[in-house]
Amino acid sequence: MAVPQPTADRCHDKKYKLFKMLGEYLDLCIRISVVVFCANFIERLCSVSIEYIFYKKYYLPEDRLSTIIRRACTYNVNTIWLAIMLLLLGFARFGSTGNLKNLLPNHVYLACMPLYWVFSFAQLSYRPLGYAHWIRGTHGLDYAAGMASNYFHGYLKLALPERNDDGLKKRMQVYEDTHSINFATDRLIILIPDDMFVKGIIVSDLLEKAEPLETTFINRAGVNRPFKHAVYRLKRQINGTTYYFAMEGATPMLSFFEAMNSQSSTSWQMREMKREIWLKFAKHLKELTSSWPETEHEVELFIYNSRNLNGESADVGELLFAHFEARLGNKKQLN
């Protein structure tokens, strides 16, 4: 008759088997990770060769090879941290077992490297969501950031700041004194609707186009360019006062809207990501205007949905009235 093993010994055996299984699992993960990193490194070396042979015209001759190697073999921060963690885990396992053979992949594992290249070629991780994540990044290489940068550096940064006793605020002050009116804000309002379409003349039952601000001329790349800003009168009074706005639509967004409706200049990716592009444009433009001292108090971005909850076109005049009624009403109460 077998003598039952004491309970304490059985618990010890279970813990031993559990830790053994965990250790074997970690060893397996390390071996697979080594195979993946090796396959990835070989793939990068192949891409260096392909780039150097077939796409050399995209690089300057004096630093062609170094640039290709840097672009092909640079790892991001997450990958570097993962490699460090796996390295530390490998040292820890080797320190506890003293067996290096269990950590290194054998020929069976190495023979699976082509499977990694097949998955990579098939872009197994591809998904349109990746485009959205890339647009949301801070690299500045996407279409939205490019439009915002060009709009800021080529227009807003030139036309708005005070230079030689002339700037947006000075022209608005002269306009107020000349026409005996009041602006609701001393900033240029830039309309950025989510459908990205703004007509040449902003249409609203509550807005009436008035005489524009004085045109200013600024030399840009040898061309004396005129810069002008439209002015609109709000037909409905706020606190008994009729207010005016220096206001215009974001022209890059209108250009993007037109490109979206052209078969030769659009793609399904652009149509799929149009809202991402709209949001990134607004976000990046706000960052640019608020981070530059000469424009941080010159622009007010008015970002809004072009349709209301009922699916009807939103009246931008109504939206402006509600926005500034709340702001000016609160300001009056504080005073």
Side-chain angles (χ1 to χ4, degrees):
M1 181 176 180
V3 180
Q5 191 176 10
T7 304
D9 292 341
R10 287 201 300 268
C11 292
H12 177 75
D13 289 343
K14 287 182 179 180
K15 289 182 179 180
Y16 174 78
K17 291 180 180 179
L18 180 62
F19 281 114
K20 184 180 179 181
M21 290 175 58
L22 179 61
E24 292 174 349
Y25 170 74
L26 293 177
D27 293 343
L28 177 62
C29 290
I30 293 172
R31 289 196 296 271
I32 294 176
S33 299
V34 171
V35 172
V36 170
F37 272 95
C38 289
N40 178 263
F41 183 72
I42 294 173
E43 181 187 32
R44 289 170 182 258
L45 292 181
C46 290
S47 66
V48 169
S49 302
I50 294 172
E51 196 77 5
Y52 189 84
I53 295 172
F54 296 104
Y55 302 103
K56 60 171 61 179
K57 68 178 182 180
Y58 292 97
Y59 304 90
L60 295 174
E62 57 268 21
D63 60 354
R64 179 179 293 133
L65 182 59
S66 61
T67 302
I68 294 175
I69 292 175
R70 175 172 52 81
R71 290 183 179 181
C73 299
T74 297
Y75 293 89
N76 61 29
V77 176
N78 292 338
T79 304
I80 294 173
W81 277 113
L82 176 61
I84 293 174
M85 290 174 59
L86 290 171
L87 190 63
L88 294 176
L89 181 60
F91 280 128
R93 286 296 299 161
F94 177 71
S96 62
T97 63
N99 190 345
L100 185 61
K101 183 179 180 180
N102 288 341
L103 303 176
L104 298 178
N106 56 29
H107 64 281
V108 176
Y109 288 90
L110 296 176
C112 294
M113 279 201 294
L115 190 60
Y116 172 87
W117 300 327
V118 170
F119 287 154
S120 179
F121 178 77
Q123 296 184 334
L124 186 63
S125 62
Y126 166 79
R127 58 199 183 281
L129 185 60
Y131 290 133
H133 290 164
W134 189 78
I135 290 172
R136 296 171 196 171
T138 57
H139 40 73
L141 298 175
D142 58 277
Y143 194 71
M147 287 193 296
S149 295
N150 289 336
Y151 187 47
F152 174 73
H153 293 288
Y155 173 53
L156 298 178
K157 189 178 174 183
L158 300 174
L160 304 186
E162 192 78 21
R163 292 190 179 91
N164 299 322
D165 197 31
D166 180 45
L168 176 69
K169 283 184 168 54
K170 178 64 180 294
R171 294 194 295 275
M172 293 181 72
Q173 184 62 55
V174 171
Y175 192 100
E176 284 186 327
D177 296 340
T178 303
H179 296 82
S180 299
I181 60 95
N182 293 291
F183 282 104
T185 176
D186 60 352
R187 303 184 182 193
L188 175 66
I189 297 176
I190 298 178
L191 304 178
I192 310 180
D194 64 348
D195 66 357
M196 295 166 283
F197 181 78
V198 178
K199 291 185 177 181
I201 297 179
I202 299 169
V203 178
S204 169
D205 293 336
L206 289 185
L207 294 174
E208 181 180 29
K209 190 170 175 45
E211 182 182 335
L213 294 179
E214 181 184 356
T215 302
T216 183
F217 293 86
I218 299 175
N219 190 288
R220 183 68 169 171
V223 179
N224 204 29
R225 288 179 53 188
F227 291 87
K228 59 177 67 176
H229 308 292
V231 175
Y232 289 84
R233 181 177 70 88
L234 188 63
K235 297 179 182 180
R236 187 183 299 169
Q237 292 186 341
I238 299 177
N239 298 329
T241 302
T242 299
Y243 285 103
Y244 287 66
F245 304 98
M247 182 168 59
E248 61 191 52
T251 52
M253 284 284 92
L254 179 59
S255 299
F256 178 67
F257 174 84
E258 293 170 344
M260 291 276 293
N261 290 275
S262 171
Q263 293 297 324
S264 59
S265 58
T266 189
S267 63
W268 74 263
Q269 290 93 340
M270 292 171 62
R271 292 190 293 270
E272 176 74 21
M273 296 295 149
K274 62 181 180 180
R275 187 169 180 85
E276 292 285 344
I277 293 173
W278 167 67
L279 289 170
K280 179 61 177 291
F281 172 85
K283 177 183 177 182
H284 194 60
L285 184 60
K286 185 175 182 179
E287 290 173 351
L288 290 171
T289 55
S290 60
S291 62
W292 187 253
E294 291 184 328
T295 58
E296 63 176 333
H297 302 300
E298 305 290 335
V299 178
E300 181 168 343
L301 305 183
F302 197 75
I303 306 164
Y304 63 97
N305 294 320
S306 58
R307 295 190 176 276
N308 57 30
L309 296 177
N310 297 325
E312 301 171 344
S313 296
D315 189 319
V316 66
E318 292 282 358
L319 298 176
L320 285 167
F321 175 79
H323 177 77
F324 282 96
E325 182 185 38
R327 180 194 293 185
L328 297 172
N330 292 335
K331 184 177 180 181
K332 183 177 181 181
Q333 291 178 5
L334 291 175
N335 292 336

